[in-house]
């Protein structure tokens, strides 16, 4: 029987754009507020962004070896299945499809629509808090954006890849603008209304090492990990990357290093303009919007909305490009409906898998919209009312991050399994610093997971995520294990 194979059409620049473009989405513009809320000292707060980048780099050093060993569609699903068995692969697919990927797509698309709404409001009614589009028309627009990008990626992988390169280039330029804007304002504006001030960086550090609240530091790190989340997205499309043994490691390591530099630079710029006490109170706008507003006035607010809108659009496209490859791979293994492995006869893309992922993402948008709008008290016996002091966006991202951190850490740890089982396998790329580098990564990520259970603001999301994994175990045992598939 013929096994469907995806064409290798993604070159080195497209591979790098997938790594960088799917990561730079909403986190770098919003999560600085969460860090400021949990970490009082600016130097320590910036260290959270550095640590998040170091973790991503350590993970990428190990992950690149695994990805080049198995350059197949599906990414983590393939690595977990090969290392730990079919149930581990299925559980990743279960959590990735129902929570992580669709939650990410829904959150990004919602933020795109909100940023678009901000642009309309500022263009039509400058300085006024006017609702140009009502709530449900905005949800309809969100669904339409998801559907349009899904249709584009179904038309051809090369189309989605080219769009990713263009949008990623714009996003990198936008972050460079944020990094340099405080210094440009100082140089070009004689009397800026909100000049950047070095004293906003004080206090840089706590009085003593024992004065650090490590639980809150860990909570801040979860938000930063969301901002860095997506650097593994090259693996699901590895089957479509040209010369994968060279291009995958280059895209992973080069992309992560660029992200660390951009993120740390942008957050330093934020702290030069917005005092930490004021940053932590920015619940109804992004930090980037307030930053640009203070430096450039109303024009800056409009610029920031455009930057955020473009950024989340690129990340949204990247997720709709790589996400369906999981369903395609699971369909080939009969751990999902076999129809999901079908390729479009004209375009050569997993069009049905793209449609299924986009469809569930659209339903997620509408479902979360209904819960948010009507504040439904009980659904299926669970109290789903959002905490009064926590934004819906943060609830969704924390919920998604629990499953992501758990399984992605196992994917990185699979390097130990493969070094033991496949000692003579051809490895064009070998992890630098093995076994210390992957061991440090796994230990630190395990500490992050444990901290989620101990932090009141994230405990509910962690428990629900663990329970959902338990449901996945039951589904696997009932639907696949006992049927002998």
């Amino acid at each position: 029987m013929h096994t469907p194979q995806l064409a290798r059409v993604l070159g080195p620049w497209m591979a790098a754009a997938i790594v960088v473009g799917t990561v730079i989405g909403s986190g770098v513009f919003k999560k600085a507020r969460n860090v400021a809320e949990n970490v009082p000292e600016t130097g320590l707060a910036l260290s959270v962004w550095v640590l998040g980048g170091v973790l991503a780099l350590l993970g990428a050093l190990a992950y690149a070896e695994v990805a080049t060993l198995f350059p197949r569609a599906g990414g983590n699903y393939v690595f977990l299945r090969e290392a730990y068995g079919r149930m581990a692969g299925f559980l990743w697919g279960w959590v990735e499809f129902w929570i992580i990927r669709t939650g990410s797509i829904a959150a990004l698309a919602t933020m795109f629509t909100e940023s678009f709404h901000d642009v309309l409001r500022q263009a039509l009614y400058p300085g006024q808090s006017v609702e140009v589009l009502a709530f449900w028309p905005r949800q309809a627009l969100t669904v339409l954006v998801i559907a349009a990008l899904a249709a584009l990626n179904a038309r051809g992988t090369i189309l989605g890849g080219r769009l990713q390169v263009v949008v990623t280039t714009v996003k990198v330029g936008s972050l460079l603008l944020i990094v340099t804007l405080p210094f440009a304002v100082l140089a070009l504006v004689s009397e800026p209304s909100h000049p950047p001030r070095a004293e906003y960086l004080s206090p840089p550090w706590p009085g003593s090492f024992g004065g650090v609240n490590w639980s809150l530091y860990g909570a801040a790190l979860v938000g930063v990990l969301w901002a860095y989340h997506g650097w593994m997205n090259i693996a699901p499309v590895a089957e479509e990357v040209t010369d994968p043994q060279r291009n995958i490691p280059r895209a992973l390591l080069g992309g992560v290093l660029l992200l660390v530099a951009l993120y740390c630079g942008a957050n330093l710029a934020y702290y030069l303009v917005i005092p930490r006490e004021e940053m932590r109170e920015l619940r109804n706008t992004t930090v980037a919007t307030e930053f640009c507003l203070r430096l450039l006035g109303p024009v800056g607010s409009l610029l920031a909305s455009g930057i955020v809108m473009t950024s989340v659009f690129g990340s949204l496209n990247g997720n709709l490009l790589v996400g369906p490859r999981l369903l395609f791979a699971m369909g080939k293994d009969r751990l999902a409906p076999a129809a999901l492995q079908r390729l479009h006869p004209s375009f050569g893309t997993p069009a049905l898998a793209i449609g299924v992922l986009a469809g569930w993402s659209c339903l997620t948008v509408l479902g979360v919209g209904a819960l948010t709008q009507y504040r439904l008290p009980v659904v299926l016996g669970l109290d789903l009312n959002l905490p009064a002091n926590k934004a819906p966006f943060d609830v969704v991202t924390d919920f998604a991050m629990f499953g992501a951190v758990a399984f992605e850490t196992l994917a990185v740890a699979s390097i130990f399994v493969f070094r033991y089982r496949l000692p003579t396998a051809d490895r064009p790329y070998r992890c630098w610093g093995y076994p210390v580098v992957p061991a440090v990564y796994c230990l630190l990520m395990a500490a992050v997971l444990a901290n989620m259970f101990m932090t009141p603001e994230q405990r509910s999301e962690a428990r629900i995520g663990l329970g959902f994994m338990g449901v996945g175990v039951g589904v696997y045992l009932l639907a696949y294990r006992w049927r002998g598939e």
Side-chain angles (χ1 to χ4, degrees):
M1 184 178 68
H2 174 68
T3 301
Q5 296 292 327
L6 297 164
R8 294 196 180 277
V9 295
L10 299 174
W13 288 106
M14 291 183 185
I18 288 172
V19 173
V20 177
T22 53
V23 172
I24 302 175
S26 56
V28 69
F29 306 112
K30 286 183 69 73
K31 290 299 184 179
R33 187 202 70 79
N34 302 78
V35 176
E37 185 176 43
N38 288 293
V39 183
E41 300 82 11
T42 55
L44 197 63
L46 290 171
S47 77
V48 181
W49 290 93
V50 175
L51 178 58
V54 169
L55 280 171
L57 183 59
L58 292 176
L61 286 167
Y63 195 74
E65 178 177 320
V66 179
T68 54
L69 196 61
F70 297 97
R72 306 174 193 167
N76 287 342
Y77 164 73
V78 175
F79 311 151
L80 294 169
R81 182 197 66 200
E82 295 294 328
Y84 311 113
R86 283 165 60 85
M87 186 170 76
F90 173 83
L91 285 178
W92 164 252
W94 173 263
V95 176
E96 157 89 345
F97 173 71
W98 292 110
I99 299 177
I100 301 172
R101 187 71 64 179
T102 48
S104 298
I105 291 173
L108 289 166
T110 299
M111 195 170 179
F112 171 84
T113 302
E114 294 301 326
S115 298
F116 177 70
H117 184 258
D118 288 342
V119 170
L120 282 181
R121 183 177 63 237
Q122 294 164 40
L124 299 175
Y125 306 97
Q128 301 182 43
S129 297
V130 178
E131 191 177 63
V132 181
L133 294 175
F135 179 81
W136 284 112
R138 292 204 302 274
Q139 307 315 301
L141 178 60
T142 302
V143 167
L144 182 62
V145 169
I146 294 174
L149 284 176
L152 181 141
N153 281 282
R155 288 277 299 179
T157 302
I158 196 72
L159 291 176
R162 287 172 177 168
L163 177 62
Q164 195 66 17
V165 171
V166 172
V167 180
T168 299
T169 303
V170 174
K171 291 201 287 186
V172 170
S174 299
L175 278 178
L176 287 174
L177 174 64
I178 288 176
V179 171
T180 57
L181 191 57
F183 309 101
V185 168
L186 275 181
L188 300 175
V189 180
S190 57
E191 295 183 3
S193 57
H194 290 84
R197 299 182 185 277
E199 55 263 34
Y200 290 165
L201 300 179
S202 296
W205 305 102
S208 65
F209 187 78
V212 179
N213 187 323
W214 293 109
S215 179
L216 292 179
Y217 188 93
L221 182 59
V222 171
V224 168
L225 290 177
W226 166 262
Y228 279 105
H229 187 244
W231 59 266
M232 292 184 174
N233 275 331
I234 190 63
V237 293
E239 189 172 306
E240 296 159 272
V241 176
T242 60
D243 194 6
Q245 282 72 26
R246 288 169 57 88
N247 289 332
I248 290 176
R250 287 178 176 180
L252 265 173
L253 301 179
V256 170
L257 286 171
L258 177 61
L259 288 164
V260 173
L262 291 172
Y263 278 16
C264 292
N267 279 275
L268 177 60
Y270 293 155
Y271 275 104
L272 285 171
V273 175
I274 308 173
R276 179 256 176 186
E277 294 77 12
E278 297 178 25
M279 190 184 297
R280 63 181 296 183
E281 300 301 326
L282 298 176
R283 299 184 182 277
N284 297 319
T285 186
T286 67
V287 175
T289 299
E290 182 66 19
F291 169 83
C292 290
L293 176 65
R294 294 190 179 204
L295 289 176
L296 300 175
V299 173
S301 181
L302 183 63
L303 173 66
S305 296
I307 288 174
V308 174
M309 184 177 71
T310 304
S311 182
V312 295
F313 181 81
S315 188
L316 181 60
N317 177 70
N319 275 278
L320 285 165
L321 171 63
V322 304
R325 273 60 184 174
L326 167 71
L327 298 177
F328 169 80
M330 294 183 73
K332 290 173 69 174
D333 287 347
R334 301 300 193 270
L335 288 177
L340 294 172
Q341 69 175 312
R342 294 176 187 166
L343 299 180
H344 192 281
S346 300
F347 308 134
T349 60
L352 180 59
I354 294 172
V356 169
L357 179 64
W360 176 238
S361 300
C362 291
L363 289 175
T364 300
V365 169
L366 297 176
V368 171
L371 289 172
T372 303
Q373 185 74 354
Y374 302 120
R375 307 293 294 178
L376 300 180
V378 177
V379 176
L380 299 178
L382 294 174
D383 184 1
L384 295 180
N385 280 336
L386 300 172
N389 63 340
K390 194 167 184 179
F393 179 85
D394 295 323
V395 173
V396 172
T397 56
D398 283 353
F399 187 45
M401 281 310 301
F402 177 80
V405 170
F407 284 101
E408 289 173 358
T409 302
L410 286 174
V412 172
S414 68
I415 188 174
F416 297 109
V417 178
F418 297 131
R419 283 285 186 107
Y420 175 76
R421 290 185 185 171
L422 307 171
T424 60
D426 183 30
R427 288 178 170 85
Y429 167 85
R430 298 178 72 88
C431 173
W432 176 87
Y434 179 89
V436 175
V437 165
V440 170
Y441 175 87
C442 293
L443 288 173
L444 288 173
M445 297 306 283
V448 171
L449 280 174
N451 187 71
M452 289 190 74
F453 285 100
M454 295 184 290
T455 304
E457 293 81 0
Q458 296 169 339
R459 188 178 297 146
S460 296
E461 290 90 332
R463 288 174 175 173
I464 294 172
L466 190 63
F468 193 76
M469 293 178 195
V471 173
V473 172
V475 171
Y476 176 82
L477 293 177
L478 289 173
Y480 297 102
R481 176 70 174 179
W482 304 122
R483 287 165 50 186
E485 295 189 10

